Amino acid sequence: MTGEIAFGGRDIAIEEVQALATRTALVCLSRDDRFRDGLARSAAHVAETLARDGVIYGVTTGYGDSCTTPVPLDLVAELPLHLTRFHGVGTGRLLTPEETRAVMAVRLASLTRGWSGASVELVELLCDMLRLDILPLIPAEGSVGASGDLTPLSYIAGALAGERLVRYGGRDMMSAAAFREAGLAPVVLRPKEALAVMNGTAVMSGLGAIAFTRAVSLSALSARLTSLACLALLGNPAHFDERLFRAKPHAGQMKVAARIRQDLSAFAARHAPSRLQDRYSIRCAPHVIGVLEDMAPVFRSMLETEINSANDNPLIDPESGDILHGGHFYGGHVAFVMDSMKNLVANIADLMDRQMALLVDTRFNNGLPSNLSGASGPRAAINHGLKALQIAASAWTAEALKLTMPASVFSRSTECHNQDKVSMGTIAARDALRVLELTEQVAAALMIAVRQGLRLRMMSAALSPDDLTPAVANFLNELEAAIPFIEEDRPLDTLLGELCAGISSRSWAFGWKGDAA
């Protein structure tokens, strides 16, 4: 653990969501009395409006299209629990612990804005659940992304009330039992509180924060693997000349080119190009990876704005107490970010798949053995090197590319045509994570390929350690420690799993200096 991240009175960054998701930091609430007073006022406004016989959607009315159905005052107290129960229709895989923590952190960020009518007690319990790692078991499927993530978030709201399964201390149990073990107690959901927890974009935004972090890391890894592929192919470093990229100065593209140029600087000083122009998957790598780098600040801005917003309905003006009925649960911005990001990430999968195809094919790999086989002599006839790995990388790439269809264009009218235009942001976020998973698998395959190709070049003396910058040499040493040289055919599935785990957890360091970092 690296310390605490305080919620309340400040914005939360994507990196802080990620730190809480991986438990490299713990959560706490601000100790500022003004923050807690603001939460208390928000909840009090709901009670005061009810006392005046005021009408509040989802408090004195039914939900959704049932907003025209009045709820008798003597049943208002029961309504929140009913909302958590009838939305218990989630299916599919369960969110991972990391994903669940990210979702809880994002919902906490929204509730602590003080516009949702949630009590201090509920916010404290949600914070305690995240801090103590009491994690609701949340099915991934069932949200159309407006009215927010109702179904998956119902598993958090129900857990707060003691009624849903959670994972605590390595065991699955009802949340009420977990609370007893932890010295806590469920809350009795007050009017508006179930809606405050459920009617928002926390699932798509939490998954989006994880996807963003992985995508930015993957961009850096792809740049480094492009450098290594270029070295293994004895390629042309002149394609990354700084003057070229000043002529087309997209900042992210320039950043990627600078990274590759720095990696190839020792090689460029010692070798003449073997080809006037390398094939596009090498020569145009900054133009592919750079689009993600250029869009990353836009994606960050949209995601962090969403994370730090009050996005349920209705909202309660914390100053006046006015009840404001709107549509902030609509996840259009997150849907756009996730649909766009998965497209850019899948293009990087395609880039790396093409780079691997060059490395294994004797027509294009500039003298390397077929399929990068390390076998020689008579045994070369029965060894097939990375042939199947390249086939698998093509399969993963094809699946990633297939998933780039934007989810946001598949809006469906639902819930008696009340939710007649919806964002599909949560499906887009889930797609983005799957595309990232597939692309990380392609990256793992390319890691094996470049490690094999560079060792073969060293063995043939076509390359020497002097051709590597210190940062590249250190990275290659780490690759060689993780990946054995493949002389005889062997299964690679366990190795791929280990490499993918390292990629998704961002365990690889790159060591670029200055602006290129």
Side-chain angles (χ1 to χ4, degrees):
M1 302 296 176
T2 59
E4 287 187 323
I5 295 173
F7 281 61
R10 58 181 288 270
D11 286 349
I12 301 298
I14 286 174
E15 287 77 11
E16 292 175 303
V17 174
Q18 183 66 36
L20 293 170
T22 55
R23 286 187 70 76
T24 54
L26 292 180
V27 67
C28 67
L29 291 181
S30 170
R31 295 171 178 82
D32 188 336
D33 289 339
R34 291 170 298 177
F35 156 67
R36 291 173 180 269
D37 290 346
L39 287 180
R41 280 199 310 275
S42 180
H45 287 318
V46 176
E48 291 163 3
T49 302
L50 283 174
R52 296 194 306 267
D53 294 327
V55 176
I56 306 175
Y57 163 75
V59 176
T60 62
T61 75
Y63 296 110
D65 185 62
S66 302
C67 67
T68 57
T69 302
V71 174
L73 287 178
D74 61 336
L75 297 179
V76 163
E78 294 185 47
L79 188 61
L81 201 54
H82 276 257
L83 181 65
T84 73
R85 288 172 175 170
F86 78 78
H87 270 288
V89 294
T91 56
R93 71 172 180 88
L94 295 177
L95 298 187
T96 67
E98 179 182 351
E99 291 167 346
T100 302
R101 294 183 198 110
V103 170
M104 295 170 73
V106 170
R107 200 71 210 125
L108 188 63
S110 182
L111 294 179
T112 52
R113 308 305 293 189
W115 284 76
S116 301
S119 65
V120 174
E121 291 76 16
L122 181 140
V123 171
E124 286 178 334
L125 181 58
L126 181 57
C127 181
D128 285 337
M129 290 176 70
L130 183 55
R131 178 176 57 84
L132 297 173
D133 216 29
I134 302 173
L135 302 180
L137 302 184
I138 304 174
E141 297 171 9
S143 174
V144 295
S147 293
D149 292 312
L150 288 168
T151 287
L153 288 177
S154 75
Y155 290 80
I156 295 179
L160 288 162
E163 289 200 354
R164 291 291 176 87
L165 283 171
V166 298
R167 184 159 296 150
Y168 178 52
R171 295 171 293 144
D172 294 349
M173 63 184 78
M174 294 299 291
S175 57
F179 292 156
R180 281 195 299 272
E181 286 193 19
L184 304 172
V187 295
V188 175
L189 292 169
R190 302 179 189 182
K192 177 65 174 68
E193 286 195 322
L195 203 56
V197 175
M198 294 167 53
N199 187 215
T201 59
V203 177
M204 66 181 82
S205 300
L207 299 183
I210 292 173
F212 177 87
T213 304
R214 287 169 65 176
V216 170
S217 177
L218 185 66
S219 171
L221 178 60
S222 180
R224 172 55 52 81
L225 293 180
T226 295
S227 303
L228 298 186
C230 187
L231 286 168
L233 293 165
L234 303 179
N236 188 346
H239 297 321
F240 311 103
D241 191 298
E242 184 177 7
R243 293 167 294 178
L244 271 172
F245 290 89
R246 286 204 305 266
K248 187 178 181 180
H250 293 295
Q253 179 177 279
M254 294 175 74
K255 178 180 179 180
V256 175
R259 287 173 165 177
I260 298 171
R261 181 168 63 251
Q262 190 176 126
D263 284 350
L264 298 179
S265 57
F267 175 76
R270 292 167 48 85
H271 291 264
S274 57
R275 282 176 60 95
L276 180 62
Q277 292 193 153
D278 288 333
R279 291 172 175 85
Y280 285 14
S281 62
I282 300 297
R283 193 189 341 158
C284 299
H287 308 75
V288 177
I289 307 167
V291 185
L292 177 57
E293 287 290 341
D294 275 306
M295 290 307 299
V298 178
F299 294 161
R300 173 188 289 278
S301 175
M302 286 190 178
L303 284 173
E304 289 186 342
T305 297
E306 192 74 32
I307 288 167
N308 292 292
S309 68
N311 46 51
D312 53 304
N313 173 60
L315 296 180
I316 297 96
D317 185 329
E319 297 303 321
S320 69
D322 291 342
I323 309 297
L324 307 174
H325 294 86
H328 285 354
F329 47 69
Y330 193 90
H333 287 80
V334 181
F336 175 80
V337 169
M338 292 295 100
D339 277 344
S340 303
M341 183 186 296
K342 71 188 185 188
N343 179 301
L344 300 179
V345 170
N347 265 289
I348 291 175
D350 196 28
L351 178 81
M352 293 189 294
D353 179 53
R354 297 300 83 212
Q355 291 172 346
M356 187 169 181
L358 295 180
L359 287 165
V360 299
D361 194 328
T362 55
R363 294 172 296 175
F364 311 117
N365 66 14
N366 205 7
L368 288 167
S370 179
N371 296 301
L372 300 178
S373 174
S376 58
R379 299 197 62 79
I382 63 168
N383 280 282
H384 291 76
L386 305 186
K387 182 185 287 286
L389 183 62
Q390 196 250 327
I391 295 170
S394 293
W396 302 327
T397 300
E399 186 173 349
L401 294 169
K402 177 179 72 70
L403 290 172
T404 58
M405 175 66 76
S408 55
V409 301
F410 286 96
S411 174
R412 310 296 303 147
S413 181
T414 188
E415 201 260 302
C416 300
H417 293 287
N418 174 56
Q419 297 182 23
D420 60 347
K421 174 63 178 166
V422 294
S423 76
M424 297 299 180
T426 310
I427 295 174
R430 287 171 34 227
D431 281 351
L433 286 172
R434 177 61 178 154
V435 169
L436 277 158
E437 181 180 41
L438 291 161
T439 305
E440 288 165 355
Q441 290 170 191
V442 179
L446 185 56
M447 291 170 88
I448 295 172
V450 296
R451 182 267 192 265
Q452 189 82 356
L454 288 171
R455 182 47 49 193
L456 288 165
R457 290 294 192 200
M458 295 287 184
M459 290 165 60
S460 69
L463 286 176
S464 78
D466 291 337
D467 295 320
L468 309 180
T469 66
V472 170
N474 288 339
F475 188 88
L476 185 57
N477 288 338
E478 291 182 9
L479 275 187
E480 293 186 338
I483 304 169
F485 180 73
I486 301 166
E487 185 171 359
E488 293 283 322
D489 290 342
R490 50 167 289 182
L492 298 175
D493 46 3
T494 300
L495 174 60
L496 283 165
E498 293 168 351
L499 292 173
C500 287
I503 293 168
S504 65
S505 62
R506 300 163 302 284
S507 62
W508 297 92
F510 303 105
W512 287 301
K513 297 177 182 178
D515 293 340

